Short mmCIF file of all heavy atoms in Angstrom, two decimals:
data_model
loop_
_atom_site.label_atom_id
_atom_site.label_comp_id
_atom_site.label_asym_id
_atom_site.label_seq_id
_atom_site.Cartn_x
_atom_site.Cartn_y
_atom_site.Cartn_z
N GLN A 1 121.19 62.96 -100.65
CA GLN A 1 121.33 64.27 -101.53
C GLN A 1 119.94 64.87 -101.58
O GLN A 1 119.76 66.05 -101.41
CB GLN A 1 122.01 64.00 -102.80
CG GLN A 1 122.00 65.36 -103.48
CD GLN A 1 122.80 65.27 -104.88
OE1 GLN A 1 123.79 64.43 -104.94
NE2 GLN A 1 122.56 65.97 -105.87
N ASN A 2 118.94 64.04 -101.99
CA ASN A 2 117.64 64.67 -102.13
C ASN A 2 117.02 65.17 -100.87
O ASN A 2 116.34 66.22 -100.86
CB ASN A 2 116.69 63.57 -102.74
CG ASN A 2 117.01 63.14 -104.04
OD1 ASN A 2 117.55 63.94 -104.76
ND2 ASN A 2 116.47 62.02 -104.57
N SER A 3 117.33 64.40 -99.66
CA SER A 3 116.78 64.78 -98.50
C SER A 3 117.34 66.14 -97.98
O SER A 3 116.69 67.00 -97.49
CB SER A 3 117.19 63.79 -97.34
OG SER A 3 116.55 62.45 -97.75
N LEU A 4 118.79 66.25 -98.16
CA LEU A 4 119.34 67.41 -97.65
C LEU A 4 118.95 68.70 -98.71
O LEU A 4 118.68 69.68 -98.23
CB LEU A 4 120.99 67.26 -97.83
CG LEU A 4 121.52 66.25 -96.80
CD1 LEU A 4 122.93 66.09 -96.96
CD2 LEU A 4 121.13 66.68 -95.40
N GLU A 5 118.82 68.39 -100.04
CA GLU A 5 118.45 69.45 -100.88
C GLU A 5 117.03 69.92 -100.61
O GLU A 5 116.65 71.20 -100.70
CB GLU A 5 118.66 69.15 -102.31
CG GLU A 5 120.10 68.91 -102.75
CD GLU A 5 120.25 68.76 -104.21
OE1 GLU A 5 119.29 68.40 -104.92
OE2 GLU A 5 121.31 68.86 -104.73
N ASN A 6 116.07 68.92 -100.23
CA ASN A 6 114.79 69.32 -99.87
C ASN A 6 114.69 70.17 -98.64
O ASN A 6 113.84 71.05 -98.45
CB ASN A 6 113.91 68.08 -99.76
CG ASN A 6 113.36 67.53 -101.03
OD1 ASN A 6 113.52 68.22 -102.14
ND2 ASN A 6 112.89 66.44 -101.12
N SER A 7 115.62 69.83 -97.63
CA SER A 7 115.61 70.69 -96.35
C SER A 7 116.15 72.03 -96.81
O SER A 7 115.52 73.09 -96.20
CB SER A 7 116.71 70.01 -95.51
OG SER A 7 116.28 68.86 -95.12
N LEU A 8 117.03 72.30 -97.75
CA LEU A 8 117.45 73.63 -98.16
C LEU A 8 116.29 74.37 -98.80
O LEU A 8 116.08 75.59 -98.59
CB LEU A 8 118.66 73.62 -99.13
CG LEU A 8 119.98 73.05 -98.47
CD1 LEU A 8 121.06 72.97 -99.49
CD2 LEU A 8 120.40 73.92 -97.24
N ARG A 9 115.45 73.66 -99.59
CA ARG A 9 114.21 74.30 -100.22
C ARG A 9 113.44 74.74 -99.12
O ARG A 9 112.76 75.88 -99.20
CB ARG A 9 113.65 73.26 -101.15
CG ARG A 9 114.35 72.93 -102.36
CD ARG A 9 113.64 72.02 -103.30
NE ARG A 9 114.31 71.79 -104.58
CZ ARG A 9 115.08 70.63 -104.86
NH1 ARG A 9 115.23 69.67 -103.99
NH2 ARG A 9 115.67 70.56 -106.00
N ALA A 10 113.11 73.86 -98.12
CA ALA A 10 112.18 74.14 -97.00
C ALA A 10 112.73 75.26 -96.21
O ALA A 10 111.95 76.08 -95.67
CB ALA A 10 111.93 72.99 -96.12
N GLU A 11 114.05 75.52 -96.02
CA GLU A 11 114.70 76.58 -95.29
C GLU A 11 114.54 77.95 -95.86
O GLU A 11 114.16 78.88 -95.39
CB GLU A 11 116.09 76.33 -95.19
CG GLU A 11 116.89 77.33 -94.38
CD GLU A 11 116.51 77.39 -92.91
OE1 GLU A 11 115.93 76.60 -92.30
OE2 GLU A 11 116.75 78.54 -92.31
N THR A 12 114.84 77.95 -97.20
CA THR A 12 114.86 79.34 -97.90
C THR A 12 113.68 79.76 -98.79
O THR A 12 113.45 80.87 -98.93
CB THR A 12 116.12 79.22 -98.91
OG1 THR A 12 115.89 78.42 -99.93
CG2 THR A 12 117.43 78.92 -98.26
N GLY A 13 113.07 78.72 -99.31
CA GLY A 13 111.86 79.08 -100.25
C GLY A 13 112.38 79.50 -101.55
O GLY A 13 111.54 79.92 -102.43
N ASP A 14 113.61 79.51 -101.90
CA ASP A 14 114.26 79.99 -103.04
C ASP A 14 114.53 78.75 -103.97
O ASP A 14 114.79 77.66 -103.44
CB ASP A 14 115.48 80.74 -102.79
CG ASP A 14 115.29 82.09 -102.08
OD1 ASP A 14 114.01 82.67 -102.30
OD2 ASP A 14 116.06 82.51 -101.30
N VAL A 15 114.80 79.15 -105.28
CA VAL A 15 115.24 78.06 -106.28
C VAL A 15 116.77 77.68 -105.75
O VAL A 15 117.54 78.69 -105.66
CB VAL A 15 115.21 78.60 -107.62
CG1 VAL A 15 115.94 77.57 -108.58
CG2 VAL A 15 113.84 78.77 -108.04
N LEU A 16 117.12 76.46 -105.69
CA LEU A 16 118.43 76.12 -105.25
C LEU A 16 119.27 76.27 -106.59
O LEU A 16 119.01 76.17 -107.65
CB LEU A 16 118.54 74.54 -104.88
CG LEU A 16 117.83 74.23 -103.59
CD1 LEU A 16 118.00 72.61 -103.46
CD2 LEU A 16 118.27 74.96 -102.52
N HIS A 17 120.59 76.57 -106.34
CA HIS A 17 121.61 76.56 -107.30
C HIS A 17 122.78 75.68 -106.88
O HIS A 17 123.70 76.16 -106.21
CB HIS A 17 122.11 78.05 -107.44
CG HIS A 17 121.08 78.86 -108.18
ND1 HIS A 17 120.01 79.37 -107.69
CD2 HIS A 17 121.05 79.15 -109.66
CE1 HIS A 17 119.34 80.01 -108.56
NE2 HIS A 17 119.99 79.82 -109.83
N ARG A 18 122.71 74.43 -107.40
CA ARG A 18 123.73 73.40 -106.98
C ARG A 18 125.00 73.51 -107.86
O ARG A 18 124.90 73.69 -109.06
CB ARG A 18 123.18 72.14 -107.11
CG ARG A 18 124.15 70.94 -106.81
CD ARG A 18 123.76 69.66 -107.51
NE ARG A 18 122.45 69.16 -107.25
CZ ARG A 18 121.77 68.39 -108.01
NH1 ARG A 18 122.21 68.03 -109.27
NH2 ARG A 18 120.51 67.91 -107.73
N PRO A 19 126.18 73.66 -107.17
CA PRO A 19 127.48 73.61 -107.93
C PRO A 19 127.87 72.20 -108.33
O PRO A 19 127.38 71.29 -107.92
CB PRO A 19 128.36 74.27 -106.97
CG PRO A 19 127.86 73.69 -105.56
CD PRO A 19 126.40 73.65 -105.81
N ILE A 20 128.80 72.24 -109.39
CA ILE A 20 129.56 71.14 -109.91
C ILE A 20 128.50 70.06 -110.44
O ILE A 20 128.74 68.86 -110.43
CB ILE A 20 130.37 70.32 -108.82
CG1 ILE A 20 131.14 71.43 -108.01
CG2 ILE A 20 131.37 69.45 -109.46
CD1 ILE A 20 132.13 72.28 -108.84
N GLY A 21 127.43 70.53 -111.05
CA GLY A 21 126.70 69.73 -112.04
C GLY A 21 125.80 68.59 -111.44
O GLY A 21 125.56 68.62 -110.21
N SER A 22 125.43 67.71 -112.31
CA SER A 22 124.48 66.67 -111.78
C SER A 22 125.04 65.50 -111.03
O SER A 22 126.16 65.07 -111.45
CB SER A 22 123.55 66.11 -112.89
OG SER A 22 122.76 64.99 -112.61
N SER A 23 124.59 65.13 -109.96
CA SER A 23 125.17 63.92 -109.22
C SER A 23 123.99 63.10 -108.76
O SER A 23 124.18 62.04 -107.97
CB SER A 23 125.96 64.37 -108.08
OG SER A 23 125.25 65.20 -107.21
N ALA A 24 122.69 63.35 -109.16
CA ALA A 24 121.66 62.61 -108.67
C ALA A 24 121.30 61.43 -109.49
O ALA A 24 120.36 60.69 -109.10
CB ALA A 24 120.45 63.65 -108.40
N LYS A 25 121.80 61.35 -110.63
CA LYS A 25 121.53 60.18 -111.53
C LYS A 25 122.76 59.65 -112.12
O LYS A 25 123.87 60.21 -112.34
CB LYS A 25 120.58 60.53 -112.58
CG LYS A 25 121.11 61.59 -113.62
CD LYS A 25 120.19 61.70 -114.90
CE LYS A 25 118.73 62.18 -114.48
NZ LYS A 25 117.92 62.28 -115.56
N LYS A 26 122.74 58.38 -112.62
CA LYS A 26 123.81 57.70 -113.25
C LYS A 26 123.59 57.73 -114.75
O LYS A 26 122.64 57.10 -115.18
CB LYS A 26 124.02 56.23 -112.75
CG LYS A 26 124.38 56.09 -111.26
CD LYS A 26 125.75 56.71 -110.90
CE LYS A 26 126.14 56.43 -109.48
NZ LYS A 26 127.39 56.92 -109.19
N TRP A 27 124.35 58.56 -115.51
CA TRP A 27 124.28 58.68 -116.80
C TRP A 27 125.00 57.46 -117.61
O TRP A 27 126.02 57.08 -117.23
CB TRP A 27 124.74 59.98 -117.34
CG TRP A 27 124.10 61.17 -116.88
CD1 TRP A 27 124.34 61.84 -115.74
CD2 TRP A 27 123.14 62.00 -117.57
NE1 TRP A 27 123.60 62.87 -115.59
CE2 TRP A 27 122.72 63.06 -116.68
CE3 TRP A 27 122.43 61.89 -118.75
CZ2 TRP A 27 121.89 64.08 -117.07
CZ3 TRP A 27 121.53 62.79 -119.10
CH2 TRP A 27 121.24 63.90 -118.36
N PRO A 28 124.54 57.01 -118.65
CA PRO A 28 125.36 56.10 -119.49
C PRO A 28 126.69 56.83 -119.97
O PRO A 28 126.49 58.01 -120.21
CB PRO A 28 124.50 55.80 -120.70
CG PRO A 28 123.08 55.99 -120.26
CD PRO A 28 123.09 57.19 -119.35
N HIS A 29 127.78 56.13 -119.75
CA HIS A 29 129.01 56.94 -120.08
C HIS A 29 130.00 56.04 -120.77
O HIS A 29 129.58 55.18 -121.41
CB HIS A 29 129.55 57.46 -118.74
CG HIS A 29 130.44 58.62 -118.75
ND1 HIS A 29 130.24 59.69 -119.68
CD2 HIS A 29 131.48 58.91 -118.16
CE1 HIS A 29 131.21 60.52 -119.68
NE2 HIS A 29 132.03 60.18 -118.60
N LEU A 30 131.18 56.37 -120.70
CA LEU A 30 132.30 55.87 -121.56
C LEU A 30 132.98 54.58 -120.97
O LEU A 30 133.87 53.99 -121.81
CB LEU A 30 133.29 57.00 -121.90
CG LEU A 30 132.81 58.21 -122.57
CD1 LEU A 30 133.52 59.45 -122.28
CD2 LEU A 30 132.75 57.99 -124.12
N ASP A 31 132.73 54.25 -119.71
CA ASP A 31 133.50 53.40 -119.09
C ASP A 31 133.34 51.90 -119.71
O ASP A 31 134.21 51.15 -119.65
CB ASP A 31 133.24 53.18 -117.61
CG ASP A 31 133.67 54.55 -116.98
OD1 ASP A 31 134.59 55.09 -117.25
OD2 ASP A 31 132.97 54.98 -115.90
N PRO A 32 132.12 51.52 -120.28
CA PRO A 32 132.00 50.16 -120.92
C PRO A 32 132.79 50.03 -122.19
O PRO A 32 132.79 48.93 -122.78
CB PRO A 32 130.54 50.09 -121.12
CG PRO A 32 129.86 50.99 -120.29
CD PRO A 32 130.86 52.25 -120.19
N ILE A 33 133.39 51.18 -122.62
CA ILE A 33 134.18 51.19 -123.92
C ILE A 33 135.64 50.98 -123.60
O ILE A 33 136.14 51.56 -122.74
CB ILE A 33 133.91 52.41 -124.76
CG1 ILE A 33 132.43 52.63 -125.00
CG2 ILE A 33 134.74 52.42 -126.02
CD1 ILE A 33 132.04 54.03 -125.57
N THR A 34 136.24 50.27 -124.37
CA THR A 34 137.76 49.95 -124.30
C THR A 34 138.49 49.99 -125.63
O THR A 34 137.80 49.89 -126.78
CB THR A 34 138.07 48.58 -123.60
OG1 THR A 34 137.52 47.54 -124.41
CG2 THR A 34 137.63 48.54 -122.14
N PHE A 35 139.78 50.38 -125.74
CA PHE A 35 140.55 50.46 -126.83
C PHE A 35 140.99 49.06 -127.27
O PHE A 35 141.19 48.16 -126.41
CB PHE A 35 141.77 51.32 -126.60
CG PHE A 35 141.36 52.81 -126.36
CD1 PHE A 35 141.45 53.28 -125.13
CD2 PHE A 35 140.77 53.60 -127.37
CE1 PHE A 35 141.04 54.65 -124.88
CE2 PHE A 35 140.47 54.97 -127.19
CZ PHE A 35 140.63 55.47 -125.90
N ILE A 36 141.27 48.88 -128.51
CA ILE A 36 142.04 47.63 -129.07
C ILE A 36 143.56 47.77 -129.17
O ILE A 36 143.91 48.62 -129.84
CB ILE A 36 141.31 47.24 -130.50
CG1 ILE A 36 139.83 47.06 -130.26
CG2 ILE A 36 141.92 46.02 -130.95
CD1 ILE A 36 139.14 46.96 -131.64
N PRO A 37 144.12 46.87 -128.39
CA PRO A 37 145.65 46.98 -128.46
C PRO A 37 146.23 46.42 -129.63
O PRO A 37 145.73 45.47 -130.28
CB PRO A 37 146.02 46.19 -127.26
CG PRO A 37 144.94 45.31 -127.15
CD PRO A 37 143.73 45.91 -127.45
N ALA A 38 147.33 47.07 -130.09
CA ALA A 38 148.17 46.35 -131.22
C ALA A 38 149.20 45.47 -130.65
O ALA A 38 149.96 45.90 -129.69
CB ALA A 38 148.89 47.54 -132.00
N GLN A 39 149.29 44.12 -130.97
CA GLN A 39 150.21 43.31 -130.26
C GLN A 39 150.92 42.39 -131.26
O GLN A 39 152.23 42.40 -131.36
CB GLN A 39 149.43 42.39 -129.33
CG GLN A 39 148.99 43.27 -128.13
CD GLN A 39 148.12 42.42 -127.09
OE1 GLN A 39 148.74 42.02 -126.07
NE2 GLN A 39 146.92 42.10 -127.39
N THR A 40 150.18 41.62 -132.14
CA THR A 40 150.92 40.72 -133.06
C THR A 40 151.11 41.34 -134.35
O THR A 40 151.85 40.86 -135.25
CB THR A 40 150.03 39.47 -133.06
OG1 THR A 40 148.72 39.71 -133.44
CG2 THR A 40 150.14 38.63 -131.74
N THR A 41 150.37 42.06 -134.93
CA THR A 41 150.30 43.01 -135.99
C THR A 41 149.01 43.68 -136.19
O THR A 41 147.96 43.00 -136.11
CB THR A 41 150.68 42.34 -137.26
OG1 THR A 41 150.99 43.12 -138.45
CG2 THR A 41 149.68 41.35 -137.85
N PRO A 42 148.89 45.05 -136.31
CA PRO A 42 150.18 45.83 -136.23
C PRO A 42 150.78 45.79 -134.86
O PRO A 42 150.22 45.20 -133.97
CB PRO A 42 149.53 47.18 -136.51
CG PRO A 42 148.19 47.29 -136.02
CD PRO A 42 147.75 45.80 -136.43
N PHE A 43 152.03 46.29 -134.79
CA PHE A 43 152.76 46.29 -133.43
C PHE A 43 152.71 47.61 -132.67
O PHE A 43 152.39 48.67 -133.34
CB PHE A 43 154.15 46.02 -133.73
CG PHE A 43 154.45 44.67 -134.49
CD1 PHE A 43 154.91 44.62 -135.71
CD2 PHE A 43 154.20 43.47 -133.93
CE1 PHE A 43 154.98 43.38 -136.43
CE2 PHE A 43 154.24 42.20 -134.48
CZ PHE A 43 154.69 42.17 -135.84
#
């Protein structure tokens, strides 16, 4: 992604406007969190 975006910068000389947000870094997120199930009480 960095290589291709740098190529676009070299081609146009303009500020890039990337759609659909950031994809160049891994942000800490919600996946390490889980819910606690009710099984023996509460049900």
